[in-house]
Amino acid sequence: MSIAASALMCLALNAYWEARNQSYEGMIAVNQVVMNRVESDLYPNRICKVVFQGPTRASWKDPKKEYPVKNRCQFSWYCDGKPDDVRNTDHDAWKQAVKSSLQVMVNAHDDLVDGALWYHADYVNPKWTKDMIKTNTIGKHIFYKK
């Protein structure tokens, strides 16, 4: 798989798991946060590294294999302990995730998040938002920048 195809898959997986139950604009917004992080000095400069960022631990079976520490990743779906395969019943959501990811990768969509690097679901109230600037609310996500 080429680097570009791999990056598209990473971005699409993140859009799928973070926003599959939201609008197309919600997926675009989640993808834009990932791309903003790629451009930021605060985060890795590659899409897959941003999506899969978080502490790891060695496997107890094979110390050469690393696994994400549960509930400590940047994007919760990646280290929640559940399978990360696209569900057979979610073909439409997966198509939307891929399409939105491609659009954001080629910069073919207006900036919906005003440069935001962070977001959270609207049903939580994390302490880290107190010094942030809210940029937008799209679907069930609230977006922030400093």
Side-chain angles (χ1 to χ4, degrees):
M1 185 180 296
S2 72
I3 292 172
S6 178
L8 176 62
M9 292 304 292
C10 291
L11 197 59
L13 273 173
N14 195 62
Y16 174 82
W17 286 111
E18 289 286 306
R20 74 183 182 281
N21 61 346
Q22 297 185 43
S23 68
Y24 186 71
E25 287 73 25
M27 285 188 176
I28 291 284
V30 164
N31 284 332
Q32 287 177 337
V33 167
V34 172
M35 297 306 288
N36 290 343
R37 287 183 178 193
V38 168
E39 297 300 319
S40 170
D41 292 337
L42 300 174
Y43 292 92
N45 62 0
R46 297 182 73 165
I47 292 170
C48 292
K49 288 188 180 277
V50 167
V51 169
F52 300 124
Q53 185 179 15
T56 59
R57 62 168 177 73
S59 165
W60 63 274
K61 286 184 178 180
D62 181 357
K64 294 177 186 169
K65 286 189 176 186
E66 293 284 318
Y67 291 97
V69 176
K70 189 171 182 180
N71 301 322
R72 298 284 312 275
C73 299
Q74 291 291 315
F75 299 104
S76 59
W77 66 269
Y78 179 58
C79 62
D80 61 5
K82 298 175 185 174
D84 296 333
D85 299 322
V86 175
R87 296 178 181 163
N88 288 336
T89 57
D90 281 350
H91 291 292
D92 290 340
W94 176 246
K95 286 183 205 174
Q96 293 289 81
V98 172
K99 181 180 175 186
S100 67
S101 298
L102 186 56
Q103 275 199 317
V104 170
M105 283 180 72
V106 299
N107 205 22
H109 203 286
D110 292 339
D111 181 3
L112 300 179
V113 298
D114 191 24
L117 292 176
W118 303 277
Y119 65 88
H120 65 80
D122 63 0
Y123 54 84
V124 297
N125 189 20
K127 292 178 184 176
W128 57 261
T129 63
K130 70 179 179 126
D131 295 325
M132 301 281 185
I133 299 165
K134 181 179 168 183
T135 64
N136 206 347
T137 300
I138 301 171
K140 299 203 174 282
H141 286 130
I142 304 170
F143 297 85
Y144 298 88
K145 65 182 181 180
K146 281 201 172 192

